[in-house]
Amino acid sequence: MKVSIERAAALLKCSQPVAIPTETVWGLAARLDDEPAMRQIFFLKGRPLKNPLIIHLSDPKFLFSCCTIKPPGLHELIDAFWPGGLTVVVPVNENKVPSLARAGLPTAAFRIPDHTTTLSLIKITGPLVAPSANRSGSPSATTPAHIIKDFGSWLPILQTKTYCRHGIESTILIWQDDAWHVGRLGAIGIDAIATVLGYEPARHTAHSDQPLCPGQLFRHYAPQARLTLSTGAWKEDDASQYDGVLGFSDRSYPGARRIITLSTSTDAASAGNALYSALRDLDRFQLKSVYVDINVPASADWLAILDRLEKASQS
Ligand code: AMP
Ligand code: MG
């Protein structure tokens, strides 16, 4: 059900979650000051309560009012990348950010999305929590059709003319132990972040005993199909082993029963944009076992895509 900005604001006021567009992926939004609505989001998504939510703002004032320290580089990051696909996780005053949004952590995640319609909505409603608008574990939603597939057509969807430009989630930077760390690769490249910070933030790998980025602990972005990632070249006898191929339009996969392409193998931006639709297509065609061509450079622009494919291939 498509709704206007005013209607979305009214529904959110009555604790009704609304799907909102952003330049990364679609979000499923509730007001940060509405605990029942936030609970409803966890329930609708089947999201573990341990997995915290990103708080979406229309300006940085709220972040400054609740963070307990202003880490070096925070202002520069905000100036360079907001509105945009960068989320920052900082220590906060626990009385100012509801525990449910933080999953009980002493930190919270913030960003300003680069999407005019959604920014107009947030200006009316105040801060919104918005995890991706998909069932937990499934590929994120990058079109209204993906949202309807996961939740049904009853869910209010904020009407927009623009689409998810990146098609891949925000990059998450976490301030910990006096430095910024990468919690999740995403829409903003680490090379651009390193230029702003003057150093390349270290990648963090989650350990179940002390997670820095709790979302890393859960299965993510995954279609039903079993994915086999390959950095080599396609061989004709691969055709008998797989129901299909997820690959590139400038390569050939002789004998493959079905080929789904992301983009050309030199166009990371288009590949990122097509990724979640392509993963969902694997299920639409009921493919069980899929060869995934990841024979691409490990350059900054491909890293987030390779990371998602890696996670999607884990069982
Ligand atoms: P999603 O909204 O589904 O894109 O997921 C948001 C992700 O942000 C979570 O899965 C966490 O990995 C990360 N995140 C949110 N809040 C925090 C926090 N306080 N500390 C560390 N990571 C966070
Ligand atoms: Mg998500």
Side-chain angles (χ1 to χ4, degrees):
M1 187 193 19
K2 299 246 170 90
V3 295
S4 66
I5 295 172
E6 294 70 27
R7 178 92 184 115
L11 289 166
L12 287 162
K13 183 117 212 239
C14 305
S15 301
Q16 168 63 61
V18 174
I20 59 166
T22 82
E23 83 286 22
T24 58
V25 300
W26 280 79
L28 184 58
R31 286 167 57 133
L32 178 65
D33 61 4
D34 186 343
E35 189 166 328
M38 285 195 281
R39 275 194 191 282
Q40 175 81 346
I41 281 186
F42 281 98
F43 173 76
L44 286 170
K45 280 184 59 95
R47 184 178 177 101
L49 286 166
K50 274 180 157 172
N51 195 359
L53 305 172
I54 296 173
I55 300 166
H56 290 66
L57 307 173
S58 58
D59 72 58
K61 264 191 247 140
F62 181 74
L63 158 62
F64 293 134
S65 73
C66 46
C67 63
T68 50
I69 51 167
K70 292 198 181 62
L74 178 63
H75 276 284
E76 290 79 359
L77 290 169
I78 288 176
D79 279 351
F81 299 116
W82 282 8
L86 175 72
T87 294
V88 292
V89 175
V90 291
V92 289
N93 178 335
E94 295 184 27
N95 296 320
K96 293 194 174 164
V97 180
S99 172
L100 201 56
R102 297 181 275 110
L105 297 166
T107 53
F110 301 90
R111 89 174 181 104
I112 299 183
D114 187 12
H115 196 289
T116 327
T117 319
T118 284
L119 286 176
S120 304
L121 176 68
I122 300 172
K123 281 192 186 122
I124 303 174
T125 58
L128 295 177
V129 293
S132 47
N134 54 281
R135 294 271 307 158
S136 230
S138 304
S140 299
T142 53
T143 67
H146 297 162
I147 302 168
I148 292 167
K149 168 86 180 38
D150 279 17
F151 298 104
S153 53
W154 63 271
L155 187 77
I157 298 178
L158 180 58
Q159 182 127 34
T160 176
K161 289 202 183 72
T162 55
Y163 67 113
C164 298
R165 196 169 73 248
H166 291 297
I168 226 155
E169 298 80 355
S170 59
T171 302
I172 299 181
L173 281 187
I174 305 177
W175 177 257
Q176 200 180 54
D177 300 332
D178 292 328
W180 290 102
H181 293 76
V182 181
R184 174 173 78 187
L185 293 164
I188 305 289
I190 298 304
D191 46 350
I193 289 170
T195 306
V196 170
L197 288 179
Y199 64 94
E200 183 163 325
R203 284 282 296 281
H204 174 81
T205 349
H207 301 290
S208 52
D209 49 341
Q210 212 202 5
L212 187 60
C213 198
Q216 293 176 345
L217 299 178
F218 304 104
R219 188 165 185 262
H220 260 123
Y221 320 117
Q224 302 293 317
R226 186 160 43 78
L227 306 185
T228 303
L229 310 189
S230 169
T231 51
W234 170 263
K235 296 182 288 320
E236 205 138 345
D237 30 312
D238 286 328
S240 59
Q241 288 187 50
Y242 301 98
D243 298 337
V245 171
L246 180 59
F248 297 102
S249 53
D250 55 344
R251 295 206 178 129
S252 58
Y253 306 94
R257 276 172 260 172
R258 187 179 287 273
I259 302 169
I260 292 171
T261 57
L262 289 175
S263 60
T264 63
S265 59
T266 51
D267 186 355
S270 300
N273 192 269
L275 181 65
Y276 290 129
S277 284
L279 289 178
R280 284 169 177 266
D281 279 347
L282 304 181
D283 286 345
R284 201 157 56 83
F285 295 124
Q286 299 183 333
L287 306 184
K288 298 276 172 294
S289 148
V290 175
Y291 174 103
V292 185
D293 182 354
I294 56 160
N295 187 3
V296 291
S299 55
D301 47 349
W302 285 98
L303 283 183
I305 298 164
L306 293 172
D307 169 78
R308 300 305 187 270
L309 286 169
E310 197 117 318
K311 294 220 170 68
S313 71
Q314 287 159 13
S315 49

